[in-house]
Each structure stands twice: as structure tokens, then as C-alpha cells.
Amino acid sequence: MNRRWLPLALSLSALGCEARSAYDVQRDNPLGVSFWVVPTPSEDTGLLGRTFVRAPDTALTLEEQSRPNPCENELQEASLVGMTNNYQNAIDVRSSARGQALLSLYGFSGDTASASHLLYKVKTAKKVTRLDTAAYVNCCAKQDCGWGYVSALVYGDGEYVSAREGSANGKASYQLVTAQGASSFTLLNRKGIHGWLAAIITAHDRREAAQACPPDQKWQAYECVGKTLIGQMRDGCAQDDSQNPFWDDNPQMRYQLKTSHDDACRWLEQHQIQH
């Protein structure tokens, strides 16, 4: 996706979220339900293209449940685009045993008895994507490619924090700013992260979503997308403003409008949405 359209796509993920129950680990990750968080990020892109025998399980890491893709060579070449944004989130881990498992998954197993929240502060920088092709589909018809594959990785840095709600002795040791305002926590442990910190997983059967989407979004090909964004992209593809004679004397604007039109059409094709 061209950077011109990137702000529209990124607006689908909340910059700040309220503290929520940990019963649904995937829903509660900081970037939104379209992304699967890699608890221990690294500079290794080895996850990209790996396949899954069945739909991913949030109780396991992606490395644990994926395998080499026999048709990886037939995927599109890796495409790198900018993805600049900041995400913050606070997850209440007291509601169920899944909350304790979540703390352990992110390296805070020693804090399960005392932590009330798992906090995220994440800044993303870029995304690398490998989409499938007709040759890939044909290859998978002969080989066992499984349920789906990792189609994209997101790069960035930030920190995960185990914390207690409120402040010790009236003095906050950690603050998180969400859509509801600033919240205070007593920090227990902090883990700095840097590298490929999240993944997008695409089901080979596009009718099957990799995860549930929020009410204002729907599953399209390989990720959850906003219903309003689909309409915006359709409008952008349907109307080619660069053909308007008004822009005859402004080649730069004509080029920008043409690029926006082409990007919108390409986005619809990638998400298998009829123009």
C-alpha cells in the first residue's frame, strides 16, 4: 500500500484502548485483531511465509505452531512499506487464568501473583509483505501448504510492562495515556522490545478469517479492514480525478491523483473486493 493511503488504514487500529479483560489474548494485542504479536521480537524475518496446519492458537507462539512452506518460492517477492504509528494498551490480567498465561507468554511469569495489568507501548516503523500468486495456489494444490501462512511482518520497538493498578504511596511509577486519559500504575518489570514484533496471517481459504473482526470491520482476504475504508477505496478507484482537464497545467497534481487512483484499485484487488 502506498504511503498516501497508509493513514487511512492505520486509523483502523486504536491509538489508545481502555483496559480490557484478558479472556481473548488475540483481541487484546496492542496493534489490533488483524495482527499477531511476536512476544520476543528479533531482526529475523524467518517467520514470513511459514505455514500452519490449522488455525493459529493464541496459547502458543507462532514459531511453535508453524512450519516451513513447501511453496514459499511461489509467493510474491517481499514488499516493504512504511508503517509509522504509536500504540498503547493496558490489559487487565486478573479476570481469568488466561491473563496469567498472557503474562508468562510475554516473559513475566514471576509477576503472575502481583500484577494486575500487562501494558504495551509500541511504535511501528515498517511492514514487509509476501502475498500469494496463481503459481502459489497451483503449487499448494499439489503440496500440503496447510491452513494458511504468515503474509506480513511488522517492524518496530517499544516496551512491555507488568504492573499493578494505581500508584505506590501516592506516587505513580508508570503512566499510560489511552483514549480515556492518563492512568497510573506501579511498575513491576519492564521488557524492552525491538525488531519484527507482529505478524499478519492469511488463510488459504479466503472465506475463513484468521481471527474475529470488531463490529466496524470485516475480514477481507488477509486482514480485518474498516467498513468505511472499503467505501473510500471504492470511491477512489471509481473516480480518476487525474483525467479532469482542470489539472492540465499541473503535472505534479495530476501525477498524485493518478497514483492515488491506482493505489485504491490495487488495494481493492489485494483484498479481493469488487471495484
Side-chain angles (χ1 to χ4, degrees):
M1 186 186 303
N2 186 279
R3 286 183 177 85
R4 179 180 176 85
W5 291 102
L6 196 57
L8 290 173
L10 289 176
S11 67
L12 303 176
S13 296
L15 296 179
C17 304
E18 72 278 7
R20 297 179 295 189
S21 165
Y23 80 91
D24 188 335
V25 175
Q26 178 55 23
R27 184 204 66 181
D28 283 331
N29 82 60
L31 278 71
V33 296
S34 296
F35 301 88
W36 288 71
V37 171
V38 178
T40 307
S42 71
E43 301 293 329
D44 185 6
T45 59
L47 267 177
L48 191 61
R50 286 177 67 88
T51 62
F52 298 81
V53 174
R54 59 187 64 85
D57 184 347
T58 55
L60 301 172
T61 66
L62 298 184
E63 291 89 348
E64 289 175 320
Q65 55 190 315
S66 63
R67 63 180 184 178
N69 190 338
C71 296
E72 181 179 356
N73 290 338
E74 302 298 341
L75 292 170
Q76 287 185 11
E77 292 296 321
S79 174
L80 188 66
V81 297
M83 184 180 174
T84 304
N85 215 331
N86 295 290
Y87 301 85
Q88 297 188 19
N89 198 6
I91 298 176
D92 190 333
V93 297
R94 298 168 296 187
S95 58
S96 71
R98 292 293 294 271
Q100 308 306 308
L102 184 62
L103 283 169
S104 297
L105 184 65
Y106 285 87
F108 300 118
S109 57
D111 300 328
T112 56
S114 52
S116 66
H117 287 77
L118 175 65
L119 313 179
Y120 302 90
K121 283 189 178 181
V122 176
K123 180 179 180 181
T124 61
K126 56 188 177 182
K127 179 174 72 171
V128 61
T129 303
R130 292 193 69 182
L131 299 178
D132 52 13
T133 63
Y136 177 80
V137 174
N138 291 334
C139 177
C140 287
K142 302 172 184 177
Q143 304 281 344
D144 180 12
C145 292
W147 176 89
Y149 75 105
V150 177
S151 58
L153 294 174
V154 178
Y155 191 92
D157 55 37
E159 57 186 4
Y160 301 145
V161 174
S162 61
R164 282 196 303 270
E165 190 173 22
S167 55
N169 299 321
K171 184 177 180 180
S173 60
Y174 197 91
Q175 278 203 330
L176 192 73
V177 179
T178 69
Q180 286 66 44
S183 300
S184 297
F185 298 89
T186 298
L187 182 148
L188 299 177
N189 280 296
R190 178 190 284 123
K191 178 182 176 183
I193 57 170
H194 184 81
W196 298 103
L197 52 80
I200 294 176
I201 299 174
T202 297
H204 288 129
D205 183 350
R206 293 299 199 270
R207 297 168 298 180
E208 189 171 354
Q211 67 274 322
C213 298
D216 61 341
Q217 299 181 24
K218 63 183 297 187
W219 185 259
Q220 288 295 157
Y222 60 91
E223 64 179 343
C224 295
V225 298
K227 296 175 182 177
T228 57
L229 178 61
I230 294 175
Q232 292 170 356
M233 291 298 185
R234 277 182 168 149
D235 291 344
C237 181
Q239 185 173 354
D240 189 356
D241 291 330
S242 66
Q243 301 302 314
N244 190 327
F246 180 81
W247 302 112
D248 284 348
D249 296 330
N250 193 332
Q252 183 177 4
M253 179 59 71
R254 181 183 290 276
Y255 172 79
Q256 291 177 350
L257 292 171
K258 179 63 174 174
T259 299
S260 296
H261 169 267
D262 293 347
D263 287 344
C265 295
R266 187 179 303 110
W267 188 91
L268 292 171
E269 292 172 357
Q270 289 176 342
H271 290 84
Q272 298 186 344
I273 300 172
Q274 187 173 4
H275 294 198

